[in-house]
Amino acid sequence: MPPARPLTLITGASAGIGAAFARDLAARGHDLVLTARRTDRLEALAEELRTQHRCAVTVLTADLAEPRAVVTLCDELVARGLAVDWLINNAGYGVPGTFEAVDWPVHEAFFRVLMTAPTELAWRLLPGMRQRGYGRIINVASLAGHVPGSAGHTLYAASKAYLIKFSQSLALENRHLGVQVCALCPGFTWSEFHDVTGTRALMNQLPGFMWQTAEEVVREGYAAVERGEAVHVTGRVNRFIKALMKLLPDRLTLWLSARESKRYRALENLP
């Protein structure tokens, strides 16, 4: 049985899908631990949630690109006596440019935030969930993890494909112990993501039906993990795209990916 007030840790909680998860789960009776790099935004969101939902909200500022960030974060949870029931691994971003054009330290930081940190957080928090017989882990992946890689943002789709496979294995290993794991795979979502990567003008060329709000993504994610889905692609359009990519020959899907890369990636010298 879930606790009366589950405690949820959300990474990348200062904006977008992370902030939407915080608002949704606070309304459902969760207490929260919010973490991201921007303390001012976290504090503002925490005050909003405390006022509106009378929930306990703890702010722990962290940069998950730092090698010991997860250890420090988990040590702080232990020091405060906080046992996490829900883990939302949401922190993420994209790195524009071709692979060789980006300095290695930038790639290394990307790996830590999008792959190492969510994996380590699950490893450190999962034993407590298993011991208590209840837990939920949502790894925010992407439709990009189901379709061919594109030129530019070279590691993004690869990192999301990893989260999908990791979530599947984790779900199989833990579902009999009351811990359910889901890779949540949204497509284009209204958030700051494309502003940060400098592709907002390009993304605005996409038709409106391709987009979902962060709130829509979160509602689907909550329902999916509660149903025990190991992988959930949000939105009918995105599920159609995923199905279509499976049916088409690889050569054709790669050609389509190359064409879209030229249209929607902020790159100067794509072949």
Side-chain angles (χ1 to χ4, degrees), residues 65-220:
E66 296 296 327
R68 289 189 57 81
V70 171
V71 173
T72 301
L73 181 60
C74 291
D75 285 348
E76 188 64 26
L77 292 172
V78 172
R80 294 174 183 239
L82 298 173
V84 172
D85 303 297
W86 282 58
L87 170 61
I88 312 293
N89 278 316
N90 168 73
Y93 57 95
V95 177
T98 56
F99 182 66
E100 80 290 344
V102 176
D103 292 338
W104 177 250
V106 177
H107 288 317
E108 188 175 29
F110 177 89
F111 277 126
R112 286 191 183 129
V113 174
L114 275 84
M115 297 174 66
T116 304
T119 306
E120 185 177 358
L121 278 168
W123 184 81
R124 292 185 180 279
L125 298 176
L126 186 59
M129 296 179 185
R130 288 167 62 107
Q131 185 178 27
R132 294 188 298 273
Y134 175 81
R136 300 289 184 267
I137 298 175
I138 296 178
N139 293 316
V140 180
S142 172
L143 175 65
H146 292 284
V147 300
S150 62
H153 294 265
T154 316
L155 301 178
Y156 187 78
S159 71
K160 296 304 185 178
Y162 166 79
L163 283 180
I164 292 167
K165 296 302 183 184
F166 171 59
S167 300
Q168 289 174 324
S169 295
L170 213 57
L172 292 173
E173 292 173 2
N174 292 281
R175 60 178 47 168
H176 66 291
L177 295 171
V179 179
Q180 296 176 184
V181 182
C182 179
L184 180 61
C185 304
F188 294 110
T189 306
W190 294 111
S191 70
E192 294 181 351
F193 181 89
H194 299 292
D195 298 310
V196 173
T197 59
T199 56
R200 171 59 60 198
L202 293 170
M203 291 300 103
N204 286 344
Q205 299 174 27
L206 287 167
F209 69 83
M210 295 285 294
W211 294 87
Q212 285 187 293
T213 66
E215 291 73 20
E216 290 170 333
V217 170
V218 165
R219 285 195 294 270
E220 287 197 43

Side-chain angles (χ1 to χ4, degrees), residues 30-94:
H30 288 227
D31 292 327
L32 302 169
V33 178
L34 307 180
T35 185
R37 293 178 300 169
R38 296 177 288 188
T39 305
D40 55 341
R41 288 203 177 191
L42 291 177
E43 292 288 3
L45 177 59
E47 186 58 32
E48 171 196 326
L49 299 176
R50 293 184 192 114
T51 301
Q52 291 187 3
H53 304 292
R54 299 185 180 277
C55 58
V57 184
T58 302
V59 169
L60 297 177
T61 306
D63 182 355
L64 296 179
E66 296 296 327
R68 289 189 57 81
V70 171
V71 173
T72 301
L73 181 60
C74 291
D75 285 348
E76 188 64 26
L77 292 172
V78 172
R80 294 174 183 239
L82 298 173
V84 172
D85 303 297
W86 282 58
L87 170 61
I88 312 293
N89 278 316
N90 168 73
Y93 57 95

